[in-house]
Amino acid sequence: MSKIIEHFKTLTQIPHCSKEADKLCDFLVGFAKERGYEAEVDEVKNIYIHKGTPRLCLQAHYDMVCMGKAPQIETYEEDGWMKAKDASLGADNAMAIAMMMQLMEEGKVLEYLITSDEEIGLIGANQLAFDLKASYMLNLDSEDEAEVYIGCAGGADITAFRQDSYTEGKGACYEVAVRGLSGGHSGVDIDKNIPSAIKVLGAYLAKQNVTQLVSLYAGERRNSIPANAVAIVRSETVLPNEEAVTARVLDESPDILKEGARIIELINCFRHGVHQMNKSFGIPHTSINLAIISADEKGGMQVETSARAMDMEALEKLTQETVELFETFGLTAKVEDKYPAWKPEVTDFTKLVDKKMQEVFGQSRLMAIHAGLECGVIAQKYPHIKFASIGPTIRYPHSTREMVQLDSVEKTFSVLERIIQAL
């Protein structure tokens, strides 16, 4: 067990934020080759490591969502959990890679598919073209022990833009800020009543009848629930501090955005969060994250959102509704980085994984996840492969609260060993 954790700690010291993970790519290729494996890297930096003629391919991604001080990561342990000081930890998905590294140390005859830039739209998975030989693929990117995932949400990012200009304003100038909210994963945490800094700020401005907006900078990542939002406004009445909101007077008299009032209105009209629940699995069926908004004269108004749904018909409907809302407010909308849902299916492979999970944990559930596992994309490219997904318990990924349960890592690796042995 300690070897896996040591591998993970090594990975935390190699920067691997999305789009900035070349050093980790090079490290993993070298690590594999030193242990007798063949390693290939394609144009988008996906890594394919293999030996012999394996029946099983293990799959994970090697980029991470960098929040707080990340990629500067200082790990520590507390009450059986590993955490990072003021940073996202990157257990999503480096703990999976640490398990792979241990299996490479043991020389297991397996395929390892480690994809790039998963966290910013499954970019690597969408461009896969390796000649995979295994009949089964086990994704290691789910985040609850004793659960076998057999389906996942599809998703799409909807962005919008409109140019704006300044006009004369009235009243005192304020900085109105919401800072340091907990944040979280825009898929698996979207139903956990985590407040969005953008929505909190919008509600405050509407309550105080603020319509004069100078600038707005809010949110961090498309796949993270916003933790911070800061607006510069003008008001002819005194703006008070409220819980989670601070209002600070500035010694300035700036011009205001002509469409500032409409921006505030859009924030309050936008249905951030869960739209519909999936009764079969007790998870959201459709949701959308109002992720990032920026507004000033130079860059205009830019909005970034992340929509998810457990089937493609529902995703198409939610996407179209969002586009129409943006267009109602005079923005030009664009749909980006669309990826398919992975339709839940029970197979001989999912039954095997479920059985091995029960042997270790004493229980197991077949589940679907309201997040974008790469299985849906890869399954379209390799229809002969059967899929399942497992992973250790990780809480609050994509935030500085991210943590992984160490005992869960040990037990999940035991399940993995049993699956390998059975195949």
Side-chain angles (χ1 to χ4, degrees):
M1 179 58 203
S2 61
K3 291 183 179 180
I4 295 174
I5 299 305
E6 288 305 312
H7 287 315
F8 175 73
K9 288 181 178 179
T10 296
L11 296 173
T12 66
Q13 300 308 298
I14 305 172
H16 55 284
C17 307
S18 298
K19 292 187 177 180
E20 299 176 348
D22 286 359
K23 289 183 179 179
L24 184 52
C25 177
D26 293 341
F27 170 83
L28 293 173
V29 169
F31 185 93
K33 288 183 176 180
E34 288 172 4
R35 285 152 185 82
Y37 289 84
E38 295 184 54
E40 304 172 34
V41 179
D42 64 16
E43 291 184 359
V44 294
K45 301 297 181 68
N46 292 312
I47 308 168
Y48 174 45
I49 298 166
H50 53 98
K51 174 188 286 189
T53 309
R55 300 184 68 198
L56 177 65
C57 179
L58 302 181
Q59 193 267 316
H61 64 87
Y62 68 95
D63 66 316
M64 68 173 285
V65 174
C66 287
M67 300 291 286
K69 294 181 179 178
Q72 301 300 316
I73 299 173
E74 182 181 351
T75 63
Y76 67 99
E77 296 179 22
E78 183 177 70
D79 300 326
W81 295 81
M82 178 170 283
K83 306 177 182 180
K85 293 184 179 180
D86 303 317
S88 46
L89 178 63
D92 173 16
N93 195 211
M95 194 60 80
I97 296 173
M99 294 182 188
M100 293 180 177
M101 290 169 66
Q102 181 56 34
L103 294 169
M104 289 183 214
E105 293 269 30
E106 299 170 9
K108 299 293 186 182
V109 177
L110 295 166
E111 288 182 323
Y112 306 87
L113 178 60
I114 311 175
T115 52
S116 64
D117 292 332
E118 185 267 355
E119 299 288 13
I120 53 174
L122 286 71
I123 291 173
N126 273 303
Q127 299 187 54
L128 277 177
F130 294 122
D131 183 19
L132 302 182
K133 297 176 174 59
S135 301
Y136 306 100
M137 181 175 290
L138 186 64
N139 170 280
L140 300 174
D141 193 19
S142 55
E143 293 157 359
D144 282 289
E145 65 177 32
E147 294 182 351
V148 179
Y149 286 84
I150 60 173
C152 75
D157 293 343
I158 305 105
T159 63
F161 172 79
R162 183 185 62 210
Q163 189 58 54
D164 205 345
S165 59
Y166 280 127
T167 188
E168 186 177 353
K170 297 180 181 179
C173 181
Y174 288 84
E175 178 197 76
V176 182
V178 180
R179 292 189 173 97
L181 299 188
S182 58
H185 191 293
S186 65
V188 297
D189 292 331
I190 199 71
D191 61 339
K192 293 182 171 59
N193 296 316
I194 296 171
S196 158
I198 294 175
K199 295 294 288 184
V200 171
L201 178 63
Y204 173 90
L205 296 177
K207 177 182 175 182
Q208 301 299 328
N209 296 312
V210 174
T211 59
Q212 300 182 85
L213 181 65
V214 178
S215 62
L216 172 63
Y217 307 101
E220 298 79 34
R221 303 284 188 278
R222 288 186 188 178
N223 52 9
S224 297
I225 298 170
N228 303 281
V230 179
I232 306 299
V233 303
R234 295 189 71 171
S235 174
E236 296 183 78
T237 60
V238 175
L239 299 183
N241 292 333
E242 288 190 357
E243 184 179 0
V245 183
T246 60
R248 178 170 64 94
V249 177
L250 303 177
D251 186 19
E252 301 174 12
S253 300
D255 291 338
I256 63 172
L257 292 168
K258 287 183 177 180
E259 299 292 333
R262 292 281 282 167
I263 296 172
I264 297 169
E265 183 183 357
L266 171 60
I267 291 172
N268 286 288
C269 286
F270 195 95
R271 286 184 61 199
H272 166 91
V274 177
H275 284 215
Q276 181 184 358
M277 291 296 293
N278 186 298
K279 295 180 180 179
S280 298
F281 293 101
I283 60 175
H285 188 70
T286 56
S287 73
I288 191 164
N289 181 44
L290 180 56
I292 301 172
I293 296 182
S294 63
D296 56 31
E297 184 181 44
K298 183 177 180 180
M301 179 185 179
Q302 300 186 58
V303 186
E304 301 179 38
T305 71
S306 178
R308 302 177 191 268
M310 300 306 295
D311 65 61
M312 296 310 291
E313 182 179 352
L315 180 63
E316 187 62 36
K317 181 174 183 291
L318 179 57
T319 299
Q320 187 58 37
E321 289 174 351
T322 305
V323 168
E324 290 174 358
L325 174 66
F326 287 147
E327 291 177 344
T328 298
F329 279 84
L331 284 80
T332 300
K334 181 169 63 173
V335 180
E336 303 176 351
D337 298 328
K338 198 169 187 177
Y339 56 88
W342 171 28
K343 185 178 179 180
E345 181 182 12
V346 177
T347 66
D348 59 338
F349 183 51
T350 59
K351 290 178 181 177
L352 169 65
V353 177
D354 183 54
K355 178 182 177 182
K356 299 307 175 184
M357 191 73 77
Q358 292 182 45
E359 290 176 1
V360 173
F361 287 96
Q363 61 181 356
S364 178
R365 293 194 301 167
L366 297 177
M367 291 290 294
I369 188 171
H370 193 65
L373 297 176
E374 292 165 290
C375 302
V377 175
I378 299 173
Q380 288 191 334
K381 295 176 177 291
Y382 302 91
H384 68 284
I385 296 179
K386 295 181 179 179
F387 294 81
S389 177
I390 64 173
T393 297
I394 297 173
R395 292 289 175 259
Y396 312 115
H398 303 184
S399 78
T400 57
R401 296 190 296 158
E402 182 181 1
M403 62 181 79
V404 59
Q405 192 172 35
L406 296 176
D407 179 67
S408 180
V409 173
E410 180 179 9
K411 290 182 177 179
T412 301
F413 188 71
S414 179
V415 174
L416 179 53
E417 290 180 310
R418 290 170 184 242
I419 294 169
I420 294 169
Q421 185 176 10
L423 290 173

